[in-house]
Every structure is written in C-alpha cells, then in structure tokens.
Amino acid sequence: MEYKVLIVEDDEVISAAIASKLSKYGLGVREVEDFHRVDEEFITYDPSLVILDISLPFYNGYMWCEKIRKISKVPVLYISSMSDNMNIIMAMNMGGDDYLAKPFDLDVLVAKVQALLRRAYDYRIDGDFIKAGDVILRLDDQTVLKDDKKIELTKNEFRIIRTLIEKKGHVVSRDELMQKLWETSEFIDDNTLTVNIARLRKKLEDIGLYDFIATKKGQGYIIKDEDAD
C-alpha cells in the first residue's frame, strides 16, 4: 500500500519543505494548489493523511476539516502558528487528530505523521527509529524526539541510550555500556561513563523526561518498558 499525504499549506516554502521531507520516507505527497477547492482535491487524491494549516486563503482549516470529516476518517494533523490552548482545543473538536505549532522541526513533523499512520493503518518503517513509550530515538541523525521537542546527542550519548532502549525493561550493567563506548576511538574509563550519563540525563530533562534512565544501585541502569504495562 502506498501511503499518501495531502498538504494544505499556503506558504509555498513551508509546503515544499514538508513535501520534500516526507517523500524521502517513501510517502506519496501532493500539495494543494486551489484553496477554493480543497475538498475536491482531497476526493481526487484520496490521501491516507492530511496536513492542514489553519490560516488559509478564502476558508480556514477548521472549515475544510469539517468538510473532510463528513466523508472520511483519515488522520488530520493541524499545523499552525496559532498555538494557544483555544485554537488547539478547537482543532481537536473540529476533527483533528494532532496539532503541531509553527515553527516546527521537520523531524518532529515526520515522527507525528508516522505515529498517526501507524495508529490508523498499522504502518511500519523498518530500521528508521526505535522507541520507549512515546520517546523516539532516530537512528539516522542521532536525535531524541518527545512530543514537539527534540534534542541532539553526541556519539557516546547516542550509544548509551540506544543500548538502554534496545534492552528496555532490563538492567544494563556499567561494564556493558563501557564496552559500547569503547567502540569509539576515544579512551573510556568509569568516570567518562558517569559524565556521559549525567549529560544525557540533563538533555532528557530539558524535554521533560525526568528519571527516564533509572539507576539500579550496584547493578547498572534501566529504561522502563512501558509497552509491557
């Protein structure tokens, strides 16, 4: 099955950037050109998902979402510079499935699109990322995504969190983590691991992930497997 995304965004630069990014992930994309007839383009293209701006020429995104909802249940991801609670609530009440405030990181947009497609169609992308709960570790650019927030990792931080996520629900010893870090060309000792863990935890806290990496005294570290709950 080809998954197709209809982009309803009147800023040509933003629309083109979204289309280019999504196409790199094997998704079909179409950018709406006639903002008088968004519903007609929707019917013609028959997308799997709609990315919908709120402020549009002629009619706003709320009206177009209402029209789409009369004929389809496809996921709708709102994007807008209007990020106040009232607009977010209205977007959800008008049939939206998720909301992303501008300006946004394109990697965050991709993660939201993938999540909506997975929930709606059992969509799969192999080898692109790994997850722990709603935390996504991207393997291509070594970043962590949580909701609308993103952090970049050093090579050592990436090796640590990847190992912990791959073994989520299980304690990983300090020795095992140090072996992973030894795969770099740098000299690694016990203090280096402690420093890297501390820096990684601080970055995770910056995006609201407190106690994401738990310490098991005398054993090592663990990330809880929330999927097992």
Side-chain angles (χ1 to χ4, degrees), residues 75-87:
V76 174
L77 170 60
Y78 278 100
I79 55 173
S80 177
S81 57
M82 297 186 290
S83 57
D84 58 284
N85 289 341
M86 183 61 70
N87 275 287

Side-chain angles (χ1 to χ4, degrees), residues 36-221:
H36 270 116
R37 299 178 175 87
V38 172
D39 53 343
E40 293 179 18
E41 292 203 36
F42 173 86
I43 293 170
T44 301
Y45 188 54
D46 190 24
S48 313
L49 179 144
V50 177
I51 294 176
L52 180 62
D53 192 9
I54 293 177
S55 299
L56 295 167
F58 312 117
Y59 307 104
N60 65 33
Y62 297 135
M63 193 212 75
W64 290 123
C65 186
E66 188 174 21
K67 280 183 171 291
I68 289 170
R69 279 290 167 258
K70 289 179 179 179
I71 57 176
S72 175
K73 295 181 179 180
V74 301
V76 174
L77 170 60
Y78 278 100
I79 55 173
S80 177
S81 57
M82 297 186 290
S83 57
D84 58 284
N85 289 341
M86 183 61 70
N87 275 287
I88 295 174
I89 292 170
M90 184 175 293
M92 298 299 101
N93 288 340
M94 295 298 288
D97 295 277
D98 206 344
Y99 193 102
L100 186 57
K102 297 178 182 176
F104 51 79
D105 187 289
L106 285 172
D107 287 328
V108 174
L109 175 75
V110 169
K112 284 184 172 290
V113 166
Q114 291 175 339
L116 289 171
L117 289 175
R118 280 196 305 275
R119 288 200 290 268
Y121 309 104
D122 196 30
Y123 170 79
R124 292 285 183 269
I125 288 185
D126 296 328
D128 188 43
F129 61 86
I130 55 177
K131 293 182 63 182
D134 56 356
V135 178
I136 297 171
L137 176 65
R138 296 199 60 86
L139 306 181
D140 51 355
D141 61 2
Q142 301 186 4
T143 57
V144 173
L145 303 175
K146 170 70 165 64
D147 298 330
D148 299 345
K149 300 175 181 178
K150 169 184 171 182
I151 55 172
E152 297 182 356
L153 305 176
T154 66
K155 191 174 295 184
N156 282 345
E157 292 164 352
F158 173 74
R159 288 177 185 272
I160 291 169
I161 196 168
R162 178 173 184 172
T163 302
L164 292 171
I165 290 178
E166 287 176 342
K167 298 191 175 185
K168 61 185 176 182
H170 302 278
V171 177
V172 180
S173 69
R174 290 179 63 88
D175 286 343
E176 183 174 350
L177 288 175
M178 287 179 63
Q179 287 176 6
K180 288 292 182 181
L181 299 188
W182 266 111
E183 294 174 10
T184 68
S185 59
E186 305 170 29
F187 173 72
I188 304 297
D189 59 14
D190 195 64
N191 184 63
T192 304
L193 175 61
T194 300
V195 170
N196 277 274
I197 289 284
R199 288 176 178 170
L200 176 57
R201 280 174 163 161
K202 177 62 172 64
K203 287 184 177 181
L204 294 171
E205 288 175 0
D206 289 342
I207 58 172
L209 290 170
Y210 295 90
D211 302 319
F212 183 65
I213 299 174
T215 300
K216 293 293 184 179
K217 193 170 182 180
Q219 300 178 59
Y221 303 95

